[in-house]
Amino acid sequence: MPAVAGSWCSAARAGWATSRSRLAKARGAYVVATASPAKHEVLAALGADETVDYRDDAALAAIEPVDVVLSTVDDGVPPLGVVREGTAVITITGFPEGAEDALRASGAARAERIMVVADGPALAEVAALADSGRLDVLLDTELPLADVVKAQERLETGRVTGKVVVTVP
């Protein structure tokens, strides 16, 4: 993840997004995270500088432009007001039809879907952050292998805050 002055993260309650928010924070970014109000306290504890209710259009419109937007929701498109000339807009799920053109018209330098790839130096940086206590995993639920169906059902609620772990004896 490149060093950034400001980042905006949609659906920051998701395990993947909380980790990326914390990595951005570790690199000195000012992090604005969107989630339901019930998740704001958790996000603040994870280092978010601002938390915004994703259902509050006025609050979303008030977010200042940022350098990087990370969208972790299906067909998620950030408020165009957070995009400025040079903003990188990244999604892990994909954009709806026409969204990439609208983002580029708003100044986005990049609007793309990414997939995770092995990166030894980046993993070493993450390991160093974890070893120093600056990065840890937010655990939502831990279940034994016998309850793997319950783990899947928990994930399918869409209300997970952190990781769902299945332990193997």
Side-chain angles (χ1 to χ4, degrees), residues 35-154:
S36 66
K39 306 294 184 183
H40 288 188
E41 187 175 323
V42 171
L43 294 173
L46 292 172
D49 297 292
E50 288 182 50
T51 55
V52 177
D53 183 348
Y54 69 93
R55 297 167 293 198
D56 183 340
D57 291 334
L60 291 171
I63 299 172
E64 294 292 322
V66 296
D67 299 315
V68 176
V69 173
L70 171 62
S71 178
T72 61
V73 295
D74 289 341
D75 293 331
V77 178
L80 294 180
V82 303
V83 178
R84 65 172 168 220
E85 192 67 35
T87 296
V89 182
I90 310 298
T91 180
I92 62 170
T93 60
F95 294 111
E97 177 116 12
E100 291 178 62
D101 291 336
L103 290 165
R104 286 194 182 94
S106 293
R110 291 174 54 195
E112 63 186 76
R113 180 174 188 243
I114 62 166
M115 300 296 289
V116 177
V117 296
D119 181 337
L123 291 174
E125 180 183 352
V126 170
L129 288 169
D131 288 345
S132 72
R134 294 175 61 198
L135 179 68
D136 59 6
V137 176
L138 178 62
L139 183 63
D140 179 275
T141 306
E142 183 175 346
L143 296 166
L145 182 58
D147 290 333
V148 71
V149 172
K150 288 181 184 173
Q152 181 63 34
E153 289 169 346
R154 175 74 184 129

Side-chain angles (χ1 to χ4, degrees), residues 6-20:
S7 66
W8 177 82
C9 186
S10 69
R13 53 106 184 119
W16 196 86
T18 57
S19 298
R20 288 307 253 184

